[in-house]
Amino acid sequence: MGWLSAALLVAITLADLLTPGGLVVGTLLTVPVALAALAGNRRLTSALTVLAVAANVGAGGLGALRDGGAGPQELGNRGVSVVAVLLVGALSLRAGEASARAARLAAEEERLAHERALRRMGDAVGGALGEADFVERAAAALRELAGAESVEIGRLARATLREPHGLSPEGAPSHLGRRLPLEVLARTGGEGGGADSPSLGHLRRRDGEDEALLVLVTRPAVPPERLREALAILEAPLERAALLDDLRVQGERLARWGEVLQDLVYAFSHDLRTPLLANSMNMRAALRGAYGPLPDDYRATLHNGLEANTELLALADQLLLLAKYESGEPGGERREVKLRDLTLGVIGQLAERAGARGVVFEPELEGVSVHGLAHDLRRAVQNLLENAVKFSPPGGTVRVTLRGRGDDAVLAVTDEGPGVPPAREATLFGRFRGGGAGGGTGLGLYLTRQIAGAHGGTVTYARTARAQSVFTLTLPRGEAG
């Protein structure tokens, strides 16, 4: 266009020089200026405008010399010609600026519209979606963004499209479960170059563990770079969806394992109690003389065996309770429980064991009642008293107080044992911790906390200024929810 405009400028200038001054062919110099403006070249348009004015004036001057002067008509025509060239040049430049501004505005509007479409696509595939749901939504959202006839997404395995699979619109031709035709692979560039084609792309997880999802787009209305940009945005929610699927699978697996372990605990605890009870009955019968006189050493062995059986039965009971509370369903009918009678019953049960160590109970119990599960509350109180007896020094005293404090019942068990090192206090009520107060299996205090929490209460530990350990069980006196 530039060369054509220059050639016209020269040709019109020569024609102006060869024609009489009255014709003023120089008016035609507006034509190359207009052509340069159509080319969209601002610099060329300005240069041709200046050259056209110079050619017009020069041709007029040379014509005047040739014709022996120029009359008013010739001068007027020449002036009109020059003004016409200037007007055409100026208007062409303004028109070019307006056209460029309009093009920029149109490009900006198109960019904003594309960004809005990308946001809508992101919103469509947002949320806690699994990979299957994500693929279905992504196919519909990508079709809307690309203005495509159809979009199909699936996992490609051995040239066959597999699940997870998404197709939009429903009823469009699908390749699910079928090998992709060679013409499709050829049209899309195959596995290696598919992402460069507007009709194929890949969605990949960042970890790269799984095969990429294949995206087939039929007749997209957007250029390839827009399609690639959309696919890049979809990769983050794809990874999130895959991670959610992994978490669900792991959660289901852990739930199954939890059920198996719970069943094992129930079975173990139940089956353990039967032989232990039978063994205890036989040993007690032997101690009563059912099998004749026994040597002192053998009687001592039987007493040790009975004590070991008692510990194992307590462990079985705690395991059953633990399995029940860990499942989140303690169960059982809640009723009014008289804590004073319950605590006295536990003290009487532990009197023989405490007496063997020279430990004395000092109960100060008020008549306080709560609503809850009697057996479980008994186990919680028993755990606290057993710990106090176990870790009290020989000849020590265990002080047990029960008082009503506002809407709460407060049971405090104080012993003179060595207490818990400060570094271990944070994990004292944890599961399977050992050593220090509440040692052994590490279940007693943990189970006590579980029982207290299920009844809306708490259990705490403190060390007094007199070097005494105090475990405090607080329970609401009203009916627990």
Side-chain angles (χ1 to χ4, degrees):
M1 189 68 73
W3 288 106
L4 178 60
S5 300
L8 283 174
L9 179 66
V10 173
I12 293 171
T13 302
L14 291 175
D16 195 10
L17 290 172
L18 296 175
T19 56
L23 292 178
V24 193
V25 178
T27 304
L28 296 176
L29 289 171
T30 57
V31 175
V33 174
L35 287 175
L38 289 175
N41 193 325
R42 179 182 177 85
R43 182 178 297 180
L44 178 62
T45 302
S46 300
L48 286 178
T49 300
V50 173
L51 289 176
V53 170
N56 213 327
V57 173
L62 292 175
L65 291 175
R66 181 191 62 196
D67 297 338
Q73 182 180 359
E74 286 80 3
L75 291 175
N77 290 339
R78 187 61 62 180
V80 170
S81 177
V82 171
V83 170
V85 170
L86 290 172
L87 286 174
V88 170
L91 292 175
S92 297
L93 290 174
R94 293 294 299 274
E97 290 177 357
S99 177
R101 189 181 304 110
R104 288 195 299 272
L105 290 175
E108 180 67 14
E109 179 62 28
E110 183 182 0
R111 184 185 65 81
L112 292 175
H114 181 62
E115 289 180 354
R116 287 193 294 269
L118 289 175
R119 284 195 294 270
R120 286 196 302 271
M121 182 187 69
D123 293 340
V125 297
L129 301 175
E131 195 170 8
D133 293 334
F134 165 81
V135 168
E136 291 182 2
R137 291 197 187 185
L142 190 60
R143 174 173 170 260
E144 179 183 353
L145 179 139
E149 181 179 305
S150 67
V151 172
E152 186 173 15
I153 304 177
R155 193 175 306 283
L156 189 65
R158 296 182 180 179
T160 302
L161 213 58
R162 306 288 188 185
E163 296 284 356
H165 178 262
L167 178 65
S168 178
E170 294 183 5
S174 172
H175 299 92
L176 179 63
R178 295 187 291 131
R179 294 179 64 86
L180 287 178
L182 291 178
E183 58 269 20
V184 172
L185 294 176
R187 173 168 53 84
T188 59
E191 284 291 315
D196 296 328
S197 170
S199 52
L200 180 141
H202 293 92
L203 289 174
R204 293 182 174 86
R205 291 176 60 180
R206 294 177 186 174
D207 54 23
E209 292 181 356
D210 296 329
E211 298 178 5
L213 295 178
L214 186 68
V215 182
L216 287 173
V217 185
T218 304
R219 295 188 179 91
V222 297
E225 58 272 13
R226 294 285 178 86
L227 191 58
R228 290 196 294 271
E229 182 181 4
L231 293 178
I233 291 176
L234 287 174
E235 287 184 351
L238 167 63
E239 184 171 6
R240 183 174 64 243
L243 289 175
L244 284 174
D245 279 346
D246 291 342
L247 288 175
R248 289 192 184 99
V249 170
Q250 292 295 332
E252 293 173 358
R253 187 177 301 167
L254 288 174
R256 290 195 297 270
W257 288 349
E259 292 175 359
V260 171
L261 289 175
Q262 183 175 339
D263 291 343
L264 287 174
V265 169
Y266 274 123
F268 169 76
S269 301
H270 181 271
D271 293 345
L272 181 66
R273 293 177 65 86
T274 302
L276 286 176
L277 288 173
N279 195 27
S280 296
M281 290 176 60
N282 288 331
M283 286 189 287
R284 288 192 177 92
L287 288 172
R288 288 195 301 267
Y291 306 109
L294 299 176
D296 292 341
D297 292 343
Y298 189 56
R299 294 181 66 84
T301 300
L302 289 178
H303 279 294
N304 291 336
L306 277 174
E307 185 174 349
N309 273 11
T310 301
E311 294 288 342
L312 288 174
L313 285 170
L315 174 60
D317 182 61
Q318 292 195 119
L319 285 174
L320 283 172
L321 272 180
L322 179 63
K324 184 171 65 173
Y325 276 90
E326 288 291 338
S327 68
E329 299 179 357
E333 181 182 355
R334 299 198 175 199
R335 57 182 177 82
E336 183 182 8
V337 179
K338 296 181 179 180
L339 282 184
R340 182 178 185 277
D341 294 345
L342 183 149
T343 305
L344 287 174
V346 174
I347 291 175
Q349 179 182 343
L350 297 177
E352 182 179 352
R353 190 183 310 179
R357 293 178 51 83
V359 176
V360 177
F361 285 109
E362 287 187 358
E364 297 180 12
L365 310 176
E366 295 182 0
V368 182
S369 298
V370 298
H371 282 79
L373 303 173
H375 175 270
D376 296 3
L377 291 174
R378 181 182 182 86
R379 168 48 62 186
V381 173
Q382 182 174 336
N383 286 342
L384 297 180
L385 295 181
E386 283 180 344
N387 278 342
V389 171
K390 180 176 181 180
F391 292 100
S392 288
T397 300
V398 175
R399 188 164 180 260
V400 185
T401 63
L402 175 63
R403 294 185 175 89
R405 185 185 300 165
D407 295 332
D408 295 329
V410 181
L411 176 73
V413 179
T414 306
D415 66 70
E416 300 169 347
V420 180
R424 300 185 63 87
E425 287 188 20
T427 59
L428 179 60
F429 294 95
R431 180 171 47 189
F432 296 120
R433 51 89 200 97
T441 63
L443 289 178
L445 292 179
Y446 173 75
L447 182 57
T448 300
R449 186 184 67 175
Q450 296 291 92
I451 295 172
H455 287 77
T458 59
V459 59
T460 60
Y461 166 80
R463 190 72 173 167
T464 70
R466 299 175 60 185
Q468 294 175 318
S469 295
V470 181
F471 286 88
T472 305
L473 176 64
T474 303
L475 298 169
R477 299 174 72 174
E479 185 171 357

